[in-house]
Amino acid sequence: MANEFLVFDRVTKRFGALTAVDNVSISIKKGEFFSLLGPSGCGKTTLLRMLGGFERPDSGRIYLDGKDITDDPPNKRRVHTVFQNYALFPTMTIWDNIAFSLRLQKKPKEEIEETVDAMLELIRMGEHAWKYPSMLSGGQKQRVAIVRALCMEPEVMLFDEPTSALDPEMVGEVLDLMRDLAKDGMTMAVVTHEMGFAREVGSRVLFMDEGVIMEQGDPHQVFDHPQNPRTQDFLSKVL
């Protein structure tokens, strides 16, 4: 475990009679970008929610950089989640949405201004700073949600189907921002149905079914030479 940055150690999560995640162990190195694939209801979003602190495992432990974070609430772990519904504050401007977490951290006013302006430049939305979320496209909202999470200086970024609510022409601008983060070495996990993106950008792909990791490996291995029959069947239907 010493060489691994993020570790799931025999993690199980049940909802009544349903075992959503079944005795899963995963080890992720710092800077890896891993994609979680699988049919609906296979457990991938539950796995992500446990890492983010929104669900607690029934058994097993989760470690980040050697620290047991299993029982830590979301605001006490350096893990931040970008949801498919953006979760922006509707009554705040885009500028204030991005500044929100910096103010929570009690950053100096000058630092807040510099950081927010830099983030707006990163997503090429400086002219939209004083608009409200309702005035933006879905792709713009999602990019704002991503840089707002970055302001918390997370060690891990989680993306739960970040493009599923977007029109097709808006998907590219969100994926481009995620590509840039991957190049910068951010440790990331994404639940996605964007197979081309998972193949191109991810350093590791994990395929889940019925709460179990059925197969994992680099994108070339999993997409082009899947070994597990369930992986083969799933990919044959979506590619």
Side-chain angles (χ1 to χ4, degrees):
M1 196 187 303
N3 296 324
E4 304 298 342
F5 183 62
L6 173 61
V7 176
F8 284 82
D9 183 19
R10 295 169 292 180
V11 170
T12 294
K13 178 64 180 178
R14 300 181 184 89
F15 296 100
L18 172 68
T19 301
V21 173
D22 190 3
N23 198 36
V24 165
S25 292
I26 309 170
S27 296
I28 303 295
K29 291 181 170 57
K30 190 174 181 64
E32 271 199 287
F33 183 7
F34 66 100
S35 304
L36 284 162
L37 310 180
S40 296
C42 69
K44 54 189 187 295
T45 292
T46 300
L47 200 67
L48 216 63
R49 287 179 62 80
M50 286 191 288
L51 177 53
F54 302 104
E55 300 286 354
R56 192 183 182 285
D58 291 302
S59 62
R61 311 302 294 175
I62 302 171
Y63 300 89
L64 178 61
D65 200 17
K67 178 180 183 292
D68 186 341
I69 63 169
T70 313
D71 300 319
D72 292 349
N75 64 325
K76 296 297 185 183
R77 51 179 85 187
R78 298 289 292 277
V79 178
H80 293 281
T81 305
V82 176
F83 299 98
Q84 56 184 285
N85 63 351
Y86 325 124
L88 299 179
F89 299 110
T91 59
M92 289 186 185
T93 65
I94 301 312
W95 202 97
D96 286 324
N97 261 280
I98 298 173
F100 180 78
S101 61
L102 299 167
R103 288 172 174 149
L104 280 183
Q105 298 172 71
K106 295 184 169 30
K107 299 284 189 182
K109 181 181 177 183
E110 296 77 12
E111 183 179 339
I112 292 174
E113 291 175 352
E114 288 178 9
T115 300
V116 174
D117 288 345
M119 289 296 175
L120 285 166
E121 184 176 343
L122 175 66
I123 58 176
R124 300 181 299 282
M125 287 183 59
E127 74 248 42
H128 302 290
W130 304 110
K131 290 183 179 179
Y132 291 87
S134 62
M135 303 165 71
L136 302 183
S137 70
Q140 289 171 327
K141 291 176 188 175
Q142 195 60 290
R143 283 151 56 204
V144 172
I146 291 171
V147 296
R148 184 180 64 178
L150 284 175
C151 287
M152 294 297 289
E153 301 176 351
E155 295 183 4
V156 181
M157 287 275 285
L158 310 179
F159 300 89
D160 186 8
E161 298 190 20
T163 61
S164 66
L166 302 181
D167 293 331
E169 65 268 22
M170 297 174 185
V171 169
E173 59 192 44
V174 174
L175 297 185
D176 285 344
L177 178 55
M178 293 171 66
R179 283 187 186 94
D180 290 341
L181 296 179
K183 289 175 187 173
D184 290 341
M186 172 67 71
T187 306
M188 297 191 286
V190 58
V191 170
T192 183
H193 290 107
E194 299 287 342
M195 297 298 140
F197 179 73
R199 182 200 289 261
E200 173 198 350
V201 181
S203 51
R204 182 126 55 110
V205 173
L206 291 80
F207 174 74
M208 288 188 74
D209 196 15
E210 296 182 356
V212 176
I213 303 290
M214 294 290 180
E215 187 161 355
Q216 61 177 300
D218 66 61
H220 170 73
Q221 174 187 331
V222 174
F223 280 104
D224 297 333
H225 305 286
Q227 301 299 305
N228 188 285
R230 293 195 195 181
T231 315
Q232 295 169 359
D233 181 59
F234 175 79
L235 292 176
S236 72
K237 293 174 180 174
V238 299
L239 293 179

